[in-house]
Amino acid sequence: MNSKALLNTNELAEDHSLGFNLEGDVNLFAVKKDGKIYLYKNSCPHLGIELEWVEHQFLDASNALIQCSTHGAQFIIESGECVSGPCMGQALSRIDFHIDDKGMLWIT
Ligand code: FES
């Protein structure tokens, strides 16, 4: 299976998020929190649409939760679980990845 480097994780600031577009029109986003990276499919479980209105902004005002800009659903950064809003109890789709010794993030 082919792998593709998505980003240099050293360039993603703490409490920030970044959106990506992969071949085949798959949209993902990454969040860095407490030095750890979380990677999800950019698709709200409520309507299956993208989460952000402003490019690369996937977090709420306090950077504590992932937030959908359409109806305000909020998700735990570490698990993707929806804890508030119309898709409560559902979760974002997590994407498997690894980070090499140079800090490059790869998905499989
Ligand atoms: S589309 Fe995300 S909360 Fe409705």
Side-chain angles (χ1 to χ4, degrees):
M1 207 184 260
N2 290 332
S3 285
K4 180 169 180 161
L6 273 187
L7 82 147
N8 182 345
T9 59
N10 300 315
E11 291 174 359
L12 178 56
E14 182 70 23
D15 292 330
H16 277 69
S17 53
L18 207 56
F20 307 95
N21 186 271
L22 296 185
E23 290 165 29
D25 226 17
V26 178
N27 295 316
L28 308 178
F29 68 97
V31 179
K32 189 185 245 182
K33 184 181 179 190
D34 297 329
K36 277 195 79 176
I37 302 286
Y38 302 90
L39 186 65
Y40 295 102
K41 195 167 169 194
N42 182 4
S43 175
C44 181
H46 181 214
L47 296 180
I49 59 176
E50 292 173 10
L51 293 146
E52 86 284 26
W53 278 344
V54 177
E55 197 178 17
H56 303 309
Q57 283 191 18
F58 294 87
L59 301 178
D60 67 356
S62 60
N63 293 330
L65 294 164
I66 295 164
Q67 182 166 289
C68 178
S69 46
T70 301
H71 305 112
Q74 293 184 311
F75 307 85
I76 294 172
I77 291 173
E78 293 88 340
S79 67
E81 184 192 346
C82 179
V83 289
S84 144
C87 47
M88 199 133 139
Q90 294 178 265
L92 298 168
S93 299
R94 247 186 133 127
I95 306 295
D96 289 332
F97 64 90
H98 71 275
I99 296 171
D100 68 19
D101 53 6
K102 293 186 175 71
M104 298 303 291
L105 183 148
W106 298 80
I107 61 168
T108 304

